[in-house]
Amino acid sequence: MADDVRVLDRLLEITVLLNKDMTHALGEIGLTTARTHLLWELHRLGQSTQQTLATALAVSARNVTGLVDALESTGFVSRRPHPSDRRATLVGLTELGVETMTRMRRERDQLAQQLVAGLGASEVERLAKGLDAVAARLRDLATAERGDQAAS
Amino acid sequence: MADDVRVLDRLLEITVLLNKDMTHALGEIGLTTARTHLLWELHRLGQSTQQTLATALAVSARNVTGLVDALESTGFVSRRPHPSDRRATLVGLTELGVETMTRMRRERDQLAQQLVAGLGASEVERLAKGLDAVAARLRDLATAERGDQAAS
DNA sequence: TATTGTTATACTCTATAACTATA
DNA sequence: TATAGTTATAGAGTATAACAATA
């Protein structure tokens, strides 16, 4: 098999395996990937309106309502009225939410180490650079597609 | 950022971008990732029972019924009775199904080339090897998890 | 008039359980 | 008794459209 196809094949395999690993781990603490994605953004952005979250997640406002409903009822986030805009709602991490994010960051670092266990430091660096290049190409392709769409 | 975390971060980003790219492309020909996954397996295995497909996709029998229903009504696969086991159904690619798979294989090869455009041949080879190692580690982790489960 | 979030509705993927027809 | 596939039911993620409250 040609090396370029091998790269894509491995990436697709890793996609599936990573997804399974994470879904499994999250299931044990009552989270799903979509909800966790929202938690990460909230952790990154700090307290935010649902609109902001919808934009950050590139997802519909309705979708955010559902995710926040679920996360609120399981105690990871809380809603409070926006102080100056009475249309808006501010969503923030609860204590449980913050703890969970802290633990997940640690687990992410652990997984990151495990993934490259057995590779030397210089190999890891090369791998990171290779993946940077691939990610950049993919971003370009996405941009080009959006351009096509706009033109049509 | 440490290189190991950089590797994981890039992999996660690539996962998302690849998924978007493929979902978008598939949407234009009336397919979804789940249905396409089934088509790939069918292409690989040849005509198969739904049981076989359920096992190959690691998914419930009910799920396969739904996917085959959808693919049949859109003309990508057809069902016919199993010649010797009257309980079973054989699913096969239609002409459209075969054409689609042929085209998709070509597009996959094209995408594979684009992803590593700008990298030299030896870099691509190194990248492939690095990803081989990462995929192997992930497979190990999945196996270890299954072992834990069995033990608990 | 535009924006925020919700209700209403719908589609896809997924699962388990019960059931039918066959082995 | 076990297996292949279906019907029934349910939950999660996603989308669009209509609507109420507010800007």
Side-chain angles (χ1 to χ4, degrees):
Chain A
M1 180 158 47
D3 282 332
D4 49 1
V5 173
R6 199 168 135 219
V7 167
L8 177 54
D9 264 18
R10 283 295 174 274
L11 284 174
L12 291 173
E13 185 187 357
I14 290 169
T15 288
V16 171
L17 290 171
L18 267 181
N19 192 27
K20 266 192 195 145
D21 185 78
M22 296 177 62
T23 304
H24 176 260
L26 293 175
E28 304 204 327
I29 53 174
L31 284 173
T32 62
T33 48
R35 292 175 197 177
T36 305
H37 194 176
L38 191 149
L39 290 182
W40 273 115
E41 284 303 319
L42 210 46
H43 192 234
R44 192 172 68 80
L45 298 170
Q47 210 171 45
S48 311
T49 66
Q50 297 189 187
Q51 254 322 305
T52 305
L53 289 170
T55 305
L57 297 170
V59 110
S60 71
R62 178 61 185 87
N63 197 348
V64 170
T65 298
L67 295 173
V68 172
D69 283 352
L71 288 166
E72 194 177 32
S73 80
T74 47
F76 290 97
V77 306
S78 59
R79 285 179 164 110
R80 71 178 188 81
H82 191 288
S84 61
D85 184 341
R86 283 195 297 173
R87 292 170 307 176
T89 305
L90 281 177
V91 184
L93 291 173
T94 60
E95 220 174 290
L96 172 63
V98 173
E99 279 166 22
T100 305
M101 285 301 95
T102 306
R103 186 157 20 94
M104 281 185 51
R105 168 172 239 133
R106 217 164 38 231
E107 284 168 0
R108 186 204 59 170
D109 291 351
Q110 210 181 343
L111 176 61
Q113 280 175 29
Q114 288 176 327
L115 282 193
V116 297
L119 298 181
S122 68
E123 279 173 297
V124 174
E125 197 196 334
R126 264 175 179 278
L127 182 55
K129 279 188 184 160
L131 290 175
D132 277 347
V134 169
R137 290 294 296 152
L138 269 170
R139 272 183 241 115
D140 287 350
L141 288 176
T143 309
E145 229 151 56
R146 275 200 301 279
D148 284 357
Q149 258 185 328
S152 71
Chain B
M1 179 160 46
D3 282 333
D4 50 1
V5 173
R6 197 167 136 218
V7 166
L8 177 54
D9 264 18
R10 282 296 174 273
L11 284 173
L12 291 173
E13 184 186 359
I14 289 169
T15 288
V16 171
L17 289 171
L18 266 181
N19 192 27
K20 265 192 196 144
D21 185 78
M22 295 177 65
T23 304
H24 176 260
L26 293 175
E28 303 204 326
I29 55 174
L31 284 173
T32 63
T33 47
R35 292 174 196 176
T36 305
H37 194 176
L38 191 150
L39 291 182
W40 274 114
E41 283 304 319
L42 211 47
H43 192 234
R44 192 173 68 82
L45 299 168
Q47 210 171 44
S48 310
T49 66
Q50 296 189 186
Q51 256 319 308
T52 305
L53 289 170
T55 305
L57 297 170
V59 109
S60 72
R62 179 60 186 89
N63 197 347
V64 170
T65 298
L67 295 173
V68 172
D69 283 352
L71 287 166
E72 194 177 32
S73 80
T74 46
F76 290 97
V77 307
S78 59
R79 285 178 164 111
R80 71 180 188 80
H82 191 288
S84 61
D85 185 342
R86 283 195 297 173
R87 292 170 308 178
T89 306
L90 282 177
V91 184
L93 291 173
T94 59
E95 219 174 290
L96 172 62
V98 174
E99 278 167 23
T100 305
M101 286 300 96
T102 307
R103 186 156 20 94
M104 280 185 50
R105 166 171 241 133
R106 216 164 40 229
E107 284 168 0
R108 186 203 58 169
D109 292 351
Q110 209 183 341
L111 176 61
Q113 281 175 29
Q114 288 177 324
L115 283 192
V116 297
L119 298 180
S122 69
E123 279 173 295
V124 174
E125 198 195 334
R126 266 175 176 277
L127 181 55
K129 278 188 184 159
L131 291 175
D132 277 348
V134 169
R137 292 292 297 149
L138 268 171
R139 272 184 241 114
D140 288 351
L141 288 177
T143 309
E145 228 152 58
R146 274 199 303 278
D148 285 355
Q149 258 186 328
S152 71

